[in-house]
């Protein structure tokens, strides 16, 4: 009896662009390759000539004859899903331009980000197994792309609330924090939303520029302090900063359509947006391998503190990563997470990897100190 595991060749690597497809064809074979969301409409001749046995085509438009030939070779062809405001098979993370496409013409409601959120609201509770499958496919593809991006990177997570207003000191401080961390060679990762999250991504964006650039950017953004009442105006202000200083530094944001009323900030160049918030939360913290800095926040930030604490406590991800809580009064009096964190850490390896500081300015040095232990 044939072993079913031997009927499909082992994966031969992913193809995520036409250039990579052409290179594979020139090398002589598509055998075992995984082709993700590449428009192959104009590559009919190449598909007809190439051996596609064991290949998998995920959401790749192609001519009917080319698709039939690929299937005859033994390839799996998953066609694009019409009518969706997102690509469930995407091979790359989002960019700000991709999520905000159409912003200047039709406002935020016309963008792919807003349309995906509306689709999510319509399908999240209707029991449609097909919609659930599409969300799962999309989120798995995003996780795959995020892992590929962060190979070898020292990632530091910056967690904070969405309500911090542009123009405030509470916004400027995490912006400077993001800049300091990026200049030290770390990759800044945030939850991707407005407020303190946007500020940290903005700081990383400002890292290649001289210090006055960030001050000026914060001044310009202060004209639209919040995404309420107009997401369009809020986003356009951010894009005007990007246009004025076009060669900003990189960072990562990991937002979710579960909180789709909070738009993604446009300052991270790589955006891993999820439908499932649980995947997003765990993925953000799990990938913060160089530590996590927790700015003052509310319920969401408290959840993130203890989502990070649990694997540190049990050692389920290896050695504990550093955790720096910013705001002594906030974390000991207003929301006393620090006493509980200290109690959990007592006499465990994570005890030497947690710290509480008074100000944002102290956080980078404290993170470096904890990392050296």
């Amino acid at each position: 009896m044939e072993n079913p595991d031997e009927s499909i060749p082992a994966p031969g690597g992913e193809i995520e662009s036409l250039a990579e497809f052409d290179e594979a064809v020139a090398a002589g074979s598509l055998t075992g390759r995984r082709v993700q969301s590449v428009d192959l409409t104009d590559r009919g001749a190449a598909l007809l000539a190439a051996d596609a046995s064991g290949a998998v085509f995920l959401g790749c438009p192609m001519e009917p004859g080319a698709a039939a030939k690929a299937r005859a070779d033994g390839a799996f062809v998953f066609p694009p899903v019409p009518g969706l405001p997102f690509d469930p098979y995407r091979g790359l993370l989002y960019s700000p331009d991709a999520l905000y496409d159409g912003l200047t013409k039709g406002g935020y409601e016309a963008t792919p980000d807003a349309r995906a959120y509306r689709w999510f609201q319509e399908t999240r509770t209707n029991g449609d197994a097909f919609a659930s499958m599409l969300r799962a496919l999309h989120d798995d593809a995003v996780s795959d792309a995020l892992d590929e991006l962060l190979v070898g990177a020292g990632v530091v997570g910056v967690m904070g609330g969405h309500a911090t207003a542009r123009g405030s000191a509470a916004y400027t401080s995490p912006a400077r924090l993001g800049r300091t961390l990026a200049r030290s060679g770390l990759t800044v990762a945030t939850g991707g939303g407005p407020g303190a999250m946007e500020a940290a991504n903005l700081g990383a964006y400002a890292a290649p520029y001289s210090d006055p650039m960030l001050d000026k950017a914060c001044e310009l953004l202060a004209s639209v302090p919040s995404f309420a009442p107009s997401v369009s105006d809020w986003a356009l202000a951010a894009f005007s900063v990007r246009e004025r200083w076009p060669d900003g530094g990189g960072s990562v944001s990991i937002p979710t359509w579960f909180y789709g009323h909070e738009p993604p900030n446009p300052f991270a160049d790589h955006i891993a947006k999820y439908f499932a918030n649980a995947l997003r939360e765990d993925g953000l913290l799990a990938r913060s391998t160089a530590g996590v800095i927790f700015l003052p926040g509310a319920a969401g930030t408290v959840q993130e503190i203890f989502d990070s604490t649990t694997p540190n406590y049990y050692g389920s991800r290896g050695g504990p990563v550093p955790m720096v809580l910013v705001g002594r009064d906030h974390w000991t009096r207003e929301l006393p997470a620090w006493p509980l964190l200290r109690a959990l850490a007592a006499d465990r390896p994570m005890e030497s990897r947690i710290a509480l500081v008074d100000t944002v300015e102290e956080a980078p040095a404290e993170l470096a100190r904890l990392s050296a232990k």
Side-chain angles (χ1 to χ4, degrees), residues 21 30 40 43-52 57 62 66-67 69-70 73:
F21 175 84
L30 295 170
L40 301 176
R43 295 298 190 274
L47 286 164
L48 290 172
D51 178 7
F57 296 90
M62 61 180 74
K69 195 273 185 179
D73 283 349

Side-chain angles (χ1 to χ4, degrees), residues 201-245:
N201 287 127
L202 168 64
Y205 187 86
Y209 289 93
S210 62
D211 289 358
M213 174 269 177
L214 182 57
D215 295 334
K216 184 62 177 178
C218 288
E219 178 186 331
L220 294 172
L221 291 169
S223 64
V224 188
S226 173
F227 63 92
S230 173
V231 175
S232 297
D233 291 345
W234 176 85
L236 286 168
F239 277 104
S240 70
V241 168
R242 291 181 61 101
E243 290 168 7
R244 181 164 179 172
W245 294 280

Side-chain angles (χ1 to χ4, degrees), residues 11-77:
E14 296 176 0
I15 294 175
E16 296 164 343
S17 68
L18 273 177
E20 291 175 346
F21 175 84
D22 291 341
E23 182 179 347
V25 170
S29 176
L30 295 170
T31 300
R33 304 301 291 268
R34 275 59 174 140
V35 191
Q36 289 181 255
S37 298
V38 179
D39 189 343
L40 301 176
T41 306
D42 294 331
R43 295 298 190 274
L47 286 164
L48 290 172
D51 178 7
S53 58
V56 179
F57 296 90
L58 299 168
C60 300
M62 61 180 74
E63 295 173 350
K69 195 273 185 179
R71 290 191 181 98
D73 283 349
F76 289 85
V77 180

Side-chain angles (χ1 to χ4, degrees), residues 18-305:
L18 273 177
E20 291 175 346
F21 175 84
D22 291 341
E23 182 179 347
V25 170
S29 176
L30 295 170
T31 300
R33 304 301 291 268
R34 275 59 174 140
V35 191
Q36 289 181 255
S37 298
V38 179
D39 189 343
L40 301 176
T41 306
D42 294 331
R43 295 298 190 274
L47 286 164
L48 290 172
D51 178 7
S53 58
V56 179
F57 296 90
L58 299 168
C60 300
M62 61 180 74
E63 295 173 350
K69 195 273 185 179
R71 290 191 181 98
D73 283 349
F76 289 85
V77 180
F78 295 81
V81 181
L84 283 181
F86 63 94
D87 180 359
Y89 306 116
R90 63 179 305 108
L92 303 171
L93 297 180
Y94 293 99
S95 67
D97 288 336
L99 286 176
Y100 281 101
D101 185 42
L103 176 68
T104 57
K105 295 181 180 179
Y108 175 68
E109 291 304 313
T111 65
D113 186 66
R115 290 189 288 114
Y117 179 47
R118 288 196 297 271
W119 179 89
F120 180 51
Q121 288 179 302
E122 293 166 0
T123 63
R124 61 187 293 189
T125 59
N126 67 2
D128 182 0
F130 184 53
S132 297
M133 182 192 74
L134 292 172
R135 293 195 297 270
L137 286 170
H138 170 275
D139 286 0
D140 187 71
V142 167
S143 290
D144 181 61
L146 186 58
D147 286 338
E148 291 174 356
L149 173 73
L150 296 179
V151 170
V155 181
V156 58
V158 179
M159 309 299 153
H162 71 273
T164 303
R166 292 169 172 173
S168 67
Y171 183 95
T172 304
S173 291
R176 290 173 178 163
L177 171 66
R179 182 178 64 187
T180 298
L181 294 170
R183 284 177 174 176
S184 73
L186 293 167
T187 297
V188 173
T190 78
M197 295 174 280
E198 178 189 59
N201 287 127
L202 168 64
Y205 187 86
Y209 289 93
S210 62
D211 289 358
M213 174 269 177
L214 182 57
D215 295 334
K216 184 62 177 178
C218 288
E219 178 186 331
L220 294 172
L221 291 169
S223 64
V224 188
S226 173
F227 63 92
S230 173
V231 175
S232 297
D233 291 345
W234 176 85
L236 286 168
F239 277 104
S240 70
V241 168
R242 291 181 61 101
E243 290 168 7
R244 181 164 179 172
W245 294 280
D247 299 315
S251 67
V252 175
S253 73
I254 308 180
T256 173
W257 280 294
F258 185 82
Y259 297 128
H261 58 286
E262 298 175 12
N265 79 73
F267 289 110
D269 56 338
H270 297 289
I271 304 175
K273 191 151 192 179
Y274 286 86
F275 287 107
N277 186 52
L279 286 176
R280 169 256 191 166
E281 290 280 6
D282 184 69
L284 172 56
L285 294 167
R287 292 173 175 86
S288 296
T289 52
V292 188
I293 296 172
F294 299 92
L295 304 174
T301 310
V302 172
Q303 177 184 343
E304 289 160 348
I305 288 174

Side-chain angles (χ1 to χ4, degrees), residues 46 132 325 354:
S132 297
L325 277 61
I354 64 171

